[in-house]
């Protein structure tokens, strides 16, 4: 899979959707600014890699991947707002509201969320598949997922959490969209029920692995490699896996997750091409930034 | 049509959707607060009345009407935010952010928008119809409609507008969701192309009629009947049809719109039961609050 080319196609789909007969320049500039601010594009990449794993034409996933990235980006814009986390920088660039003002940032977020569903309806899939994708994205991004995660996160500010409470926040705030990427691929591929079920569990563990790796890197990574200030979690008294379990404890949970994910993939080795997802797990386990 | 019972069903669909396995109480309370804050329920009612006009089972429209009301309500919550219009009161009650705080209000708005699409997928319609409705709502509520209207409105603050600029704001900010109510009904009813086309134009005029009547009532209505301070537009130096055209000019535009709308309905009298929409026009023309 030529990931860079594919991710360019994903981003171009988003830009095309946003530029389509737009009425207001500020809204357009603000929406595109945050899309172009980049990041790892982890969710669209995961969707496409899962499609490849399932032996399905990756091109069918471009629009659904673009739609998911729009939802992710809207959530970052709103999370950064002064009333929320009040962040001035994201990925080394000024946040949306710092550049465009709060009103425009709120509307750009609303816009990306709304247009994500519009774009999704244009996917080259059956109407039934599109309805399933709308249902999946709105469920996992809604009050049973991402939005509740953000609420729980806000309510947890300056409180000491248990490890279960911390996991509930992460499972909702970041995990549900990661699961959505994987489930979307199984919808596009018309996968059998047992494959869907196992890959969903795989996705839930992937979300936690992703977060715990972040928390560990915040402590042991180098500022240069990460592009952000190392130790910021501790400075901000943020509850993390490391603050709750210690560095060794967090690493142990990470290793256990890795083993469990490989066990799931082994169960699927007769059905799908698991090597792509194996590599994905290892790349997260070993990442240094 | 028993409008009160039907609107109760619409509101109950929304409440059921919001209460479904919710994770976070504050988010739920905040979302339900604004739904229960009421208002005229003009959009859901219009959708259901248009369905009746088209001779289609009204029950098929309950969920699409509920979804549309959720989108309308989210837009009010976000419009009232301090960074936007900074309104403390809406329909005589404290606005969402005044009661629940800004962060929760932003998330409640996000939640209602996201869950509106989730609810829509549950409508008792074909997958193709549901995809068409998702496309319609996301288009009319997005950057080609409502969100651009709000951006234009914010940018127009303290500026003198032309009547064309004023109309562009209203057409987008309030008109597009009113058109969506009518178009949704034609999708649910599988109406023929010429009916769809004429009713869409009717809807565009209805949106303007609705707004111009509001502007006129702000000047001539009584405080008691309206439940808000009369003359507030003038006090806030807001651009309105009355401020731009004078009271007589605004009334003339209103009467012209009424005639044009009746002409459209007359063109349709062999196809559909136009009396319901005729009554609707007259009720807006004659409304005193």
């Amino acid at each position: 899979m030529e990931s860079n080319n594919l991710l360019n196609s994903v981003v171009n789909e988003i830009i095309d959707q946003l530029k389509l007969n737009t009425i207001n320049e500020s809204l357009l500039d603000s929406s595109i600014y945050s899309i172009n601010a980049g990041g790892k594009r982890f969710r669209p990449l995961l969707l496409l890699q899962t499609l490849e794993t399932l032996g399905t034409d990756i091109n069918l996933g471009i629009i659904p991947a673009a739609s998911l990235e729009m939802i992710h980006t809207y959530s970052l814009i709103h999370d950064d707002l002064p009333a929320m986390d009040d962040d001035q920088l994201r990925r080394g660039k000024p946040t949306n509201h710092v550049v465009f003002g709060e009103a425009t940032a709120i509307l750009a977020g609303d816009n990306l969320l709304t247009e994500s569903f519009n774009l999704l309806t244009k996917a080259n899939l059956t109407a039934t598949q599109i309805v399933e994708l709308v249902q999946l994205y709105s469920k996992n991004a809604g009050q049973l997922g991402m939005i509740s995660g953000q609420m729980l996160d806000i309510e947890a500010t300056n409180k000491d959490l248990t490890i279960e409470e911390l996991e509930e926040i992460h499972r909702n705030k970041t995990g549900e969209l990661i699961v959505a990427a994987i489930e979307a691929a199984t919808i596009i591929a018309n996968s059998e029920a047992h494959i869907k079920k196992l890959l969903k569990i795989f996705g839930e563990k992937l979300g936690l692995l992703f977060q715990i790796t972040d928390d560990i890197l915040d402590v042991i990574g180098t500022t240069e490699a990460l592009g952000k200030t190392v130790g910021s979690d501790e400075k901000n008294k943020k509850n993390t896996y490391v603050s709750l379990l210690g560095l060794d404890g967090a690493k142990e949970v990470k290793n256990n997750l890795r083993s469990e994910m490989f066990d799931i993939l082994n169960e699927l080795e007769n059905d799908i091409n698991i090597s792509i997802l194996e590599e994905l797990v290892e790349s997260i386990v070993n990442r240094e930034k």
Side-chain angles (χ1 to χ4, degrees), chain A:
Chain A
M1 187 166 108
E2 282 292 334
S3 0
N4 281 344
N5 285 344
L6 282 164
L7 289 180
N8 281 341
S9 304
V10 167
V11 172
N12 287 339
E13 277 293 346
I14 300 174
I15 306 289
D16 287 351
Q17 173 73 17
L18 293 173
K19 285 195 170 167
L20 199 70
N21 305 319
T22 189
I23 295 171
N24 186 281
E25 285 300 318
S26 315
L27 186 66
L28 179 66
D29 293 346
S30 166
S31 303
I32 288 183
Y33 174 82
S34 288
I35 291 293
N36 281 338
K40 288 183 279 285
R41 314 283 188 204
F42 181 66
R43 289 149 198 80
L45 193 61
L46 177 61
L47 191 158
L48 298 174
Q49 287 180 325
T50 309
L51 269 186
E52 193 179 15
T53 298
L54 295 166
T56 299
D57 180 6
I58 293 179
N59 291 303
L60 296 176
I62 300 286
I63 284 181
S67 170
L68 194 60
E69 184 71 357
M70 291 169 89
I71 296 175
H72 173 59
T73 306
Y74 118 76
S75 77
L76 300 182
I77 297 174
H78 281 192
D79 284 6
D80 288 338
L81 287 168
M84 306 276 235
D85 299 349
D86 196 14
D87 280 318
Q88 309 294 307
L89 283 177
R90 154 100 44 198
R91 298 163 182 164
K93 290 185 182 178
T95 47
N96 198 297
H97 64 90
V98 169
V99 179
F100 297 94
E102 234 180 299
T104 305
I106 293 169
L107 290 172
D110 293 347
N111 190 39
L112 287 167
L113 175 58
T114 309
E115 293 295 331
S116 78
F117 288 107
N118 195 269
L119 179 57
L120 195 50
T121 63
K122 299 173 184 172
N124 187 18
L125 299 167
T126 67
T128 303
Q129 284 174 311
I130 292 173
V131 171
E132 281 181 54
L133 288 173
V134 171
Q135 196 155 40
L136 171 70
Y137 286 7
S138 58
K139 176 168 170 284
N140 289 31
Q143 65 181 22
L144 300 183
M146 192 175 70
I147 291 176
S148 282
Q150 176 64 4
M151 270 302 301
L152 293 171
D153 199 18
I154 287 171
E155 291 176 348
T157 308
N158 299 322
K159 280 186 198 160
D160 289 326
L161 299 183
T162 63
I163 189 73
E164 289 76 22
E165 288 167 337
L166 180 69
E167 278 200 9
E168 192 186 14
I169 293 174
H170 289 315
R171 194 171 55 242
N172 287 292
K173 186 171 174 175
T174 59
E176 286 287 342
L177 276 208
I178 289 174
V179 170
I182 291 186
E183 282 196 83
T186 64
I187 289 170
I188 297 165
N190 288 313
S191 300
E192 289 168 28
H194 83 282
I195 296 178
K196 281 189 174 174
K197 190 178 157 193
L198 285 173
L199 282 181
K200 185 179 174 186
I201 300 170
F202 175 85
E204 289 164 0
K205 292 182 189 297
L206 183 64
L208 288 179
L209 180 71
F210 192 77
Q211 187 61 48
I212 205 167
T213 305
D214 245 17
D215 288 356
I216 292 171
L217 282 173
D218 188 77
V219 177
I220 67 170
T222 68
T223 304
E224 202 184 335
L226 287 172
K228 64 176 181 183
T229 317
V230 175
S232 65
D233 289 346
E234 197 186 339
K235 213 178 85 196
N236 299 331
K237 291 194 182 154
K238 219 175 120 183
N239 289 283
T240 72
Y241 284 92
V242 179
S243 73
L244 292 183
L245 302 174
L247 190 55
D248 288 341
K251 284 183 178 172
E252 193 187 326
V253 174
K254 180 178 160 181
N255 287 333
N256 290 344
L257 277 171
R258 178 185 173 282
S259 303
E260 289 161 16
M261 292 170 80
F262 272 80
D263 288 345
I264 295 172
L265 292 179
N266 286 335
E267 274 194 67
L268 286 166
E269 70 180 339
N270 295 326
D271 300 302
I272 61 177
N273 177 9
I274 62 171
S275 64
I276 301 157
L277 294 182
E278 280 176 342
E279 281 169 34
L280 175 75
V281 174
E282 293 297 25
S283 74
I284 295 174
V285 167
N286 297 319
R287 85 185 169 97
E288 291 180 353
K289 61 175 185 174

